Amino acid sequence: MSNALRIRTGKFGRVALLDMDRPLVRHAHPHCHVLLKVEGADTSFLVGDEVVPLTHESAVLINAWTPHAYVHRLNAPRTIILALYIEPSWLAEFRSNWEASAGSGFFDRTVDAITPQIRKQAMTLAASMVHAPTAIADHETQLGELMVSVIERFTEWRSVGPSLRDAAQSQAIDWRVSKAISKLHKVAGEVSDIDSLAQTVGMSRANFFRVFERSTGVTPRVFSNMIRLERAVSAVVSSDLSFGALSDQLGFTAQAHFTRFFRDHTGVPPSSFRSISRLGDTSDFFRI
């Protein structure tokens, strides 16, 4: 069974050190997402429609809203992965134009070779999270140094910014899709039937799926699950709400279904996520 060795959350987003031995379902995040191997077997991710390797020499780079899944071969050895989910607003504190990490074109490739410096910084952060779990300020400093190196290595960082294509696409989202997205954000736990959502905006199921994916880059189900997951992660980390109550809030018919959903998207059950994310929590640092 996969385990979370350490989890940190804060204004930067979240960082998870995951010991993985099972696949994750296809999903997406509203953050840029960087994956670095710490130890264990080489492995791979499905990013969009491309399977890309994660090794000691490579990083997997996933833009915001890009569907992806962890691919773990049956009976393959375990892999420890440093997974970074980074908030655009935090990156903008380093350089204002790095807020473009919220867009689809921040990384122009899904996998590439890392430098010795990135390798060293990733290992330093992982080791510090394990051996010094209360050194929260150090972890954020180390994460910042790592992300600066990653962005300088893998983006045109001096000129990066929203492209005209992205800007045009964001302004051209079908009004019915915008209405559906607004409903998902307001009542994510009440929208369990995507067919009914299509009906509420006056579209057939097939047309709704086609227009939604063309507008957002992901299917309605992936988008809905993203909202539920981010709200679940926030509540698991920053509140003491029972998992039964949280399950009800997010529209699951049983707590077991919520637990399975959470584990299939993060790699670990919510109980482990909560306890591990609070290691070293001596302040309101984790309140997001």
Side-chain angles (χ1 to χ4, degrees):
M1 182 177 179
S2 297
N3 297 310
L5 303 181
R6 292 290 187 271
I7 299 168
R8 281 282 173 262
T9 64
K11 63 181 181 180
F12 50 81
R14 66 181 178 270
V15 179
L17 190 61
L18 304 170
D19 186 9
M20 301 295 292
D21 71 348
R22 65 190 303 272
L24 298 181
V25 298
R26 187 173 174 87
H27 60 287
H29 305 286
H31 326 85
C32 73
H33 187 24
V34 179
L35 298 150
L36 296 155
K37 176 184 159 184
V38 173
E39 65 179 62
D42 290 348
T43 189
S44 56
F45 281 79
L46 175 66
V47 183
D49 297 321
E50 179 185 11
V51 176
V52 296
L54 180 64
T55 71
H56 278 297
E57 292 77 36
S58 68
V60 173
L61 311 161
I62 303 173
N63 285 312
W65 303 107
T66 299
H68 59 282
Y70 175 51
V71 180
H72 191 91
R73 301 186 312 276
L74 183 65
N75 298 322
R78 304 176 75 95
T79 304
I80 297 180
I81 299 171
L82 184 66
L84 315 178
Y85 314 78
I86 306 301
E87 289 287 351
S89 59
W90 183 72
L91 287 180
E93 295 178 10
F94 293 87
R95 290 181 65 92
S96 59
N97 63 330
W98 288 1
E99 195 161 10
S101 62
S104 60
F106 191 63
F107 297 124
D108 61 10
R109 49 204 184 276
T110 56
V111 64
D112 209 336
I114 60 174
T115 63
Q117 179 179 346
I118 291 174
R119 176 71 185 153
K120 181 179 180 181
Q121 289 170 326
M123 294 302 294
T124 296
L125 174 57
S128 181
M129 289 173 67
V130 170
H131 297 299
T134 61
I136 294 172
D138 289 345
H139 300 160
E140 184 167 357
T141 298
Q142 292 158 358
L143 174 62
E145 293 170 350
L146 173 58
M147 282 306 302
V148 167
S149 296
V150 165
I151 291 172
E152 290 182 349
R153 171 73 178 90
F154 298 119
T155 71
E156 297 293 334
W157 62 275
R158 289 182 177 85
S159 59
V160 70
S163 69
L164 292 178
R165 183 183 299 109
D166 287 340
Q169 181 179 3
S170 67
Q171 295 171 16
I173 292 179
D174 186 281
W175 69 271
R176 296 163 297 183
V177 171
S178 295
K179 184 178 179 180
I181 289 173
S182 178
K183 185 174 181 63
L184 285 171
H185 277 293
K186 288 179 180 177
V187 290
E190 297 176 20
V191 182
S192 58
D193 184 355
I194 299 299
D195 291 354
S196 297
L197 182 62
Q199 292 175 7
T200 64
V201 297
M203 301 176 75
S204 69
R205 182 184 190 279
N207 193 38
F208 178 66
F209 270 69
R210 182 170 56 254
V211 174
F212 194 103
E213 188 164 7
R214 186 175 65 218
S215 295
T216 66
V218 297
T219 67
R221 177 58 63 195
V222 168
F223 194 99
S224 175
N225 285 345
M226 179 278 297
I227 294 174
R228 295 170 101 187
L229 177 64
E230 293 304 318
R231 291 187 180 177
V233 166
S234 180
V236 165
V237 170
S238 61
S239 80
D240 294 318
L241 193 67
S242 72
F243 298 130
L246 181 55
S247 173
D248 291 341
Q249 280 189 10
L250 293 175
F252 292 93
T253 57
Q255 183 178 330
H257 297 164
F258 166 68
T259 298
R260 185 181 307 111
F261 169 88
F262 196 96
R263 185 193 62 212
D264 288 347
H265 283 79
T266 68
V268 292
S271 56
S272 297
F273 199 101
R274 173 173 281 173
S275 61
I276 294 168
S277 69
R278 294 183 178 185
L279 288 174
D281 182 9
T282 58
S283 67
D284 287 336
F285 183 88
F286 292 103
R287 304 298 176 183
I288 59 176

